[in-house]
Amino acid sequence: MNKKTLKDIDVKNKKVLVRCDFNVPLDKSGNITDDIRITSSLPTIKYLLNNGASLILMSHLGRPDGEPKKEYSLLPVAKRLEKLLDKKIIFEDCDIVVDDKVKADALKLQSGEVMILQNTRYRKEETKNGDALSKDLAGLADIYVNDAFGTAHRAHSSNAGVCKYLPSAVGFLVEKEIAVMGNALENPKRPLTAILGGAKVADKIAVIENFLNIADNIIIGGGMMYTFLKAQGYNVGKSLLEEDKIDLAKGIIQKSKDKNINLYLPIDVVVAKEFKNDTEFYTVDSDSIPDDFMGLDIGEKTIEKFCEVISISKTIIWNGPLGVFEMDNFAKGTNSIAEFIANNKEAISIVGGGDSAAAVEKVGLADKITHISTGGGASLEFLEGKVLPGIDAVDNK
Ligand code: AMP
């Protein structure tokens, strides 16, 4: 990895501006329902404090669309962080994120003190990477640290723009994301198996194309598998189908043959009468989906085959559920894959995307996975082989 990390910079008596991902889920009363994103940022925050820095933390939360909106205030985050750090935190409830008071408070900040700014998306410039906000933010500090992987695929003022005006480094979270995923893509222990699920082929084309260059095995499941089954000439009944992607699926099947990559499609499918949990369902071979049924999960024979491939893999990258895992009757494929990945202790396992991460958490196996990516969109773009602008902007070593 060629980006500067926390260990490459001297932060003693410096004011460090840290871009965190505090985009936490809130209930209707504004209570945080899951604080993993806050707790995940603690190693970076604590390291900086222990090394004599003062901190100015910032993040976006939800989509206030460039205007101050109370329901997207970072106040609940500031309160939770205060508890987690057992330390007073200065919360700057400023509608324009940075004003004269914020500037004056930042100037007074002493080593060991922590300030948190208001939601960066209260300002319209944020998502347009506008210079005025980048300058306002950079003006508060001596150094910038990016620890928000989840927004790294976007060039915004608080990640890309701000790097123009301050020396910069990545935090521990971002460092781990790019080290583990980068290594798996560039220098994988083989066989490398990519498991790709999720609703649509359209969303995953670029990832599949990238894996056609680097993987040994590609496993396809989820809603998108029916377009591949159709491409093989099978009837898919009422299953999800992207008519306009059938030729593309044919092309992918052909390319995998040309490149000698094993492309695994489901052998059998759990079909349902309706798109709901409590409905008639049973398992059929992939080439025998009845007209008035829809495929909502992979079947037992497929689970067995996929698990065989997983068990001999040395690097496993998984993105996207293999069925409608939100409904118990159609969660078996996804849960089984999660279990088999976790049980392969020889392999480096990487799980990206909110749904697959949730599936691993649900079966209680998150701690057996080498790396669960914190960024859905960002990890997908990373797996596509794209440069992430939020990270690219950070200083090189
Ligand atoms: P994505 O956001 O593209 O990763 O897709 C995740 C969604 O795909 C989840 O909500 C799943 O319920 C859905 N999904 C997975 N398999 C199927 C299927 N066979 N039919 C319809 N939706 C599916």
Side-chain angles (χ1 to χ4, degrees):
M1 207 197 52
N2 68 340
K3 291 292 158 190
K4 277 201 175 148
T5 67
L6 292 180
K7 301 281 168 73
D8 297 316
I9 53 173
D10 179 12
V11 299
K12 196 167 166 48
N13 295 323
K14 298 274 169 55
K15 293 185 206 306
V16 184
L17 177 69
V18 189
R19 175 57 158 103
C20 300
D21 180 2
F22 291 148
N23 185 25
V24 290
L26 300 169
D27 66 16
K28 283 199 182 103
S29 324
N31 301 306
I32 296 170
T33 53
D34 181 355
D35 68 356
I36 181 127
R37 289 194 164 148
I38 305 178
T39 54
S40 305
S41 69
L42 292 177
T44 292
I45 292 174
K46 286 183 177 167
Y47 173 87
L48 290 168
L49 290 173
N50 290 339
N51 283 277
S54 58
L55 301 188
I56 300 158
L57 307 178
M58 61 171 169
S59 174
H60 80 284
L61 174 63
R63 293 188 173 168
D65 294 330
E67 281 171 36
K69 287 185 187 144
K70 268 214 156 19
E71 63 272 33
Y72 297 113
S73 168
L74 277 175
L75 180 62
V77 172
K79 284 188 179 158
R80 180 64 58 93
L81 201 56
E82 205 156 55
K83 276 204 189 116
L84 291 166
L85 288 173
D86 193 20
K87 183 184 219 6
K88 165 115 194 67
I89 291 187
I90 304 159
F91 175 59
E92 297 289 354
D93 189 7
C94 171
D95 281 356
I96 53 167
V97 189
V98 181
D99 63 5
D100 287 344
K101 178 183 175 294
V102 176
K103 286 180 192 166
D105 287 350
L107 210 60
K108 284 187 284 190
L109 213 58
Q110 297 294 316
S111 171
E113 291 184 337
V114 183
M115 162 191 278
I116 176 163
L117 303 180
Q118 188 49 286
N119 191 336
T120 49
R121 289 197 190 165
Y122 274 15
R123 288 267 290 263
K124 285 198 171 46
E125 306 104 295
E126 166 69 326
T127 53
K128 300 185 178 81
N129 196 12
D131 225 25
L133 179 57
S134 302
K135 277 187 187 161
D136 274 354
L137 295 168
L140 302 173
D142 306 306
I143 299 175
Y144 168 72
V145 167
N146 187 354
D147 210 21
F149 185 72
T151 48
H153 57 314
R154 306 272 179 249
H156 289 172
S157 301
S158 68
N159 63 358
V162 72
C163 289
K164 281 190 275 180
Y165 302 106
L166 286 176
S168 54
V170 295
F172 291 133
L173 257 185
V174 169
E175 183 183 356
K176 187 179 177 219
E177 293 273 6
I178 48 184
V180 180
M181 287 208 283
N183 205 36
L185 296 183
E186 281 157 29
N187 190 20
K189 284 207 283 173
R190 293 191 181 276
L192 163 60
T193 298
I195 306 163
L196 302 169
K200 287 193 190 156
V201 184
D203 295 341
K204 302 285 158 82
I205 293 166
V207 184
I208 301 174
E209 294 276 0
N210 196 30
F211 279 117
L212 281 171
N213 295 321
I214 52 180
D216 302 291
N217 306 305
I218 300 177
I219 286 176
I220 303 238
M224 68 174 173
M225 69 197 195
Y226 303 95
T227 303
F228 283 87
L229 294 181
K230 188 81 183 174
Q232 289 185 311
Y234 298 168
N235 180 27
V236 297
K238 291 197 293 179
S239 310
L240 213 60
L241 175 68
E242 290 156 271
E243 298 269 5
D244 59 334
K245 298 288 177 298
I246 296 172
D247 283 343
L248 203 115
K250 279 184 189 160
I252 288 169
I253 294 169
Q254 187 55 46
K255 259 191 221 167
S256 70
K257 284 182 187 148
D258 297 344
K259 291 180 172 238
N260 244 338
I261 289 165
N262 303 310
L263 181 75
Y264 294 97
L265 294 170
I267 311 159
D268 58 351
V269 177
V270 180
V271 292
K273 188 95 186 149
E274 288 176 79
F275 191 79
K276 58 182 190 188
N277 191 57
D278 297 316
T279 185
E280 183 192 343
F281 65 96
Y282 59 99
T283 303
V284 295
D285 283 347
S286 297
D287 60 359
S288 310
I289 300 176
D291 281 343
D292 53 346
F293 276 74
M294 62 185 82
L296 295 184
D297 198 8
I298 53 175
E300 288 286 348
K301 282 191 268 185
T302 306
I303 293 175
E304 208 174 296
K305 181 71 207 165
F306 286 3
C307 290
E308 209 177 277
V309 179
I310 290 168
S311 67
I312 53 128
S313 301
K314 292 282 190 296
T315 303
I316 304 159
I317 301 178
W318 178 27
N319 187 296
L322 293 129
V324 184
F325 78 111
E326 298 93 334
M327 300 179 193
D328 285 345
N329 285 335
F330 311 109
K332 189 162 185 212
T334 302
N335 291 347
S336 306
I337 295 300
E339 276 170 35
F340 270 82
I341 295 174
N343 287 333
N344 181 342
K345 296 186 184 73
E346 303 283 295
I348 308 254
S349 50
I350 297 171
V351 174
D355 287 334
S356 339
V360 174
E361 305 265 356
K362 207 170 110 190
V363 290
L365 295 168
D367 59 335
K368 295 213 169 77
I369 303 291
T370 313
H371 180 64
I372 297 181
S373 179
T374 52
S379 71
L380 202 59
E381 291 202 17
F382 197 93
L383 297 179
E384 288 169 8
K386 282 193 187 147
V387 170
L388 305 183
I391 292 170
D392 193 41
V394 172
D395 289 345
N396 290 328
K397 281 197 193 201

